[in-house]
Amino acid sequence: MRPTLPLETWDCHTHIYGPWDQFPLAPDAAYHPAAAPFAALRGSHAALGVTHGVLVQAACYGADHGALLAALAGSGGHYRGVALADVGISEAELARLHAGGVRGVRFNFLGHLPGERDPRRLRELAERIAPMGWHILLHGQPRELAPVLDAFDGLALPLVIDHMARLSPAMAADSASLALLERHLAQPNGWIKLSGVDRMMGGASDAWGGALPLLRQLIGWAPQRCIWGSDWPHPNIAGAAPEDAALLDFILDACGDQATAQAVLSDNPKRLYA
């Protein structure tokens, strides 16, 4: 029987933009998206039956977390945040972000996004946030993540690979890429976010079926350390944005049974974002 949504369902990857009169972008922002305020996200989640969410700081806002913190404050505790933080961030700012509901930091390794790339310097920041119970979100492809995971060996905090390591279909068939993910997920602090199938496979939802074996393999390697995100409102995507209902249906199909859906969509994120 196809699983149904858990009563408490989490969408662990969303972004918000605006409203511009309250939270404008800097002229030199990394990109300039259409407005997508928190109210619109909450409406989308309500329609889907999603009860909890995670706001990932958008690169276009840089270190200005005003929109994110305002949304978290108004969420009644139902949403958490993931920050973008420079290695020189102060202890006072980290404490402010934690009090506001932030529970992780994202490190970007894709060329079109800004951010520190030196694994040694990033490890220093990771060591600072570990006592806070936060996690690191690693956004890159396998060739970029391999040296980072090596440099982060032994860190006592969860390491979450974002968007399934931005695999392409060719990478998904590559034994070296899969071996890296398998090694990562064999570690007790190795997590992965099962998001981005639309970017991986392209096209409408009827093109995504080819990715099901991969997702089921990833889930099988670490069913208690997989989470899901929609990537609403789907920034920087070519063509039409995917339907969020279709993305949610797809992850339920990938989970395959109710116990796995409960873990991926509810229990695992609840534990990670406590």
Side-chain angles (χ1 to χ4, degrees):
M1 178 182 291
R2 182 181 182 276
T4 58
L5 281 184
L7 291 178
E8 181 178 313
T9 291
W10 286 69
D11 178 349
C12 295
H13 199 104
T14 66
H15 304 285
I16 54 172
Y17 310 111
W20 301 133
D21 60 340
Q22 298 177 52
F23 306 108
L25 295 178
D28 62 347
Y31 59 94
H32 291 264
F38 185 53
L41 173 62
R42 295 208 79 172
S44 175
H45 277 168
L48 292 171
V50 171
T51 59
H52 292 68
V54 178
L55 307 177
V56 178
Q57 174 74 348
C60 58
Y61 274 122
D64 179 0
H65 293 86
L68 183 144
L69 290 173
L72 295 180
S75 76
H78 285 259
Y79 288 71
R80 293 297 197 187
V82 173
L84 292 178
D86 183 85
V87 293
I89 189 171
S90 69
E91 296 301 319
E93 180 64 4
L94 287 173
R96 185 178 80 96
L97 292 172
H98 185 85
V102 170
R103 293 297 180 268
V105 173
R106 191 188 203 197
F107 294 159
N108 286 312
F109 300 97
L110 296 182
H112 69 284
L113 296 174
E116 175 66 58
R117 301 287 199 266
D118 185 342
R120 294 167 300 177
R121 298 193 71 199
L122 293 175
R123 179 173 176 128
E124 292 175 6
L125 177 55
E127 290 172 343
R128 290 172 61 197
I129 69 171
M132 302 170 69
W134 288 18
H135 66 275
I136 298 295
L137 187 59
L138 300 169
H139 186 207
Q141 294 183 323
R143 66 177 179 272
E144 297 154 335
L145 295 178
V148 179
L149 292 174
D150 286 344
F152 285 11
D153 185 51
L155 278 176
L157 79 172
L159 302 175
V160 185
I161 289 181
D162 207 1
H163 293 325
M164 296 186 293
R166 293 298 291 262
L167 295 177
S168 66
M171 291 176 198
D174 174 59
S175 59
S177 295
L178 292 181
L180 179 142
L181 295 181
E182 185 176 15
R183 288 194 302 271
H184 170 71
L185 292 174
Q187 303 302 313
N189 67 334
W191 292 65
I192 196 162
K193 189 182 296 169
L194 306 173
S195 56
V197 66
D198 53 299
R199 296 178 189 266
M200 175 185 176
M201 303 302 293
S205 57
D206 57 5
W208 304 345
L212 274 174
L214 171 65
L215 268 78
R216 289 171 177 161
Q217 189 171 35
L218 295 173
I219 293 171
W221 285 336
Q224 303 307 314
R225 284 174 277 111
C226 291
I227 56 177
W228 171 81
S230 68
D231 199 24
W232 187 97
H234 314 288
N236 301 320
I237 193 168
E243 294 184 3
D244 295 299
L247 290 169
L248 199 48
D249 285 343
F250 183 81
I251 193 60
L252 288 170
D253 285 344
C255 288
D257 60 66
Q258 197 63 47
T260 304
Q262 177 69 32
V264 172
L265 293 171
S266 186
D267 295 344
N268 298 349
K270 189 187 307 184
R271 191 168 77 252
L272 185 64
Y273 292 99

